[in-house]
Amino acid sequence: MCNCYLASDELQFGFKSGLGCSEAIFTLRSTIDYFNANGSTVYVAALDISKAYDKVNHYKLFYSLISAGLPKWFIDLLLCWYEKLVVTVRWNGYFSFEFCVQSGVRQGSSLSPSIFNVFIDLFLTELRQKRRPNGCHIGSYFVGARLFCMLMI
């Protein structure tokens, strides 16, 4: 049996028990207040990634799951599930031919939010490792990004 779970960065607030929009906004506001109180100007950029759920590249998705250390049997199971995903389109009573879905996480699956969090976690990991002079750090702690569901601040 696997004693692992799908972990994601503490800067992610979406799809996590006990965390949500109010916690993400509170930490953002606290970060801005901290830097303003210490004489710094803070610039905030918001990026709407609401369509990202449908645009996730499957190759990169499975790479992120492998990088996260998930067991091979679990990744093989997901891979099998994803490669067999076919859909048809119904329009005005007519149906298209079946075609394979080659991007996005599965809609309606209770596992998809966790998989998406692991996928997007690579972005936060890369931001942390850059350690550029730009971006918000409190001491050595990186506070330069917040992710909530499909909204990154």
Side-chain angles (χ1 to χ4, degrees), residues 110-123:
S110 59
L111 189 57
S112 291
S114 296
I115 291 172
F116 183 79
N117 274 358
V118 172
F119 170 76
I120 204 72
D121 207 52
L122 288 177
F123 173 74

Side-chain angles (χ1 to χ4, degrees), residues 44-63:
V44 176
L47 177 62
D48 177 4
I49 59 171
S50 58
K51 300 296 182 202
Y53 214 67
D54 296 326
K55 306 269 187 213
V56 171
N57 177 293
H58 286 170
Y59 174 79
K60 291 180 181 179
L61 172 67
F62 287 103
Y63 175 80

Side-chain angles (χ1 to χ4, degrees), residues 28-101:
L28 174 64
R29 184 73 226 175
S30 298
T31 301
I32 292 169
D33 290 345
Y34 171 83
F35 283 97
N36 285 337
N38 288 293
S40 294
T41 303
V42 177
Y43 299 97
V44 176
L47 177 62
D48 177 4
I49 59 171
S50 58
K51 300 296 182 202
Y53 214 67
D54 296 326
K55 306 269 187 213
V56 171
N57 177 293
H58 286 170
Y59 174 79
K60 291 180 181 179
L61 172 67
F62 287 103
Y63 175 80
S64 66
L65 295 175
I66 291 166
S67 297
L70 293 172
K72 184 182 178 322
W73 66 265
F74 182 73
I75 294 170
D76 285 345
L77 179 72
L78 286 176
L79 186 60
C80 182
W81 188 35
Y82 271 76
E83 69 185 8
K84 290 184 169 98
L85 179 59
V86 294
V87 295
T88 60
V89 176
R90 182 178 62 157
W91 186 64
N92 285 338
Y94 295 97
F95 290 89
S96 71
F97 291 106
E98 287 185 346
F99 58 94
C100 295
V101 176

Side-chain angles (χ1 to χ4, degrees), residues 8-24 27 117 147-149:
S8 59
D9 196 284
E10 61 189 7
L11 294 174
Q12 285 196 51
F13 292 84
F15 307 122
K16 288 185 173 180
S17 179
L19 293 177
C21 190
S22 58
E23 289 81 11
T27 58
N117 274 358
L147 290 171
F148 174 71
C149 292

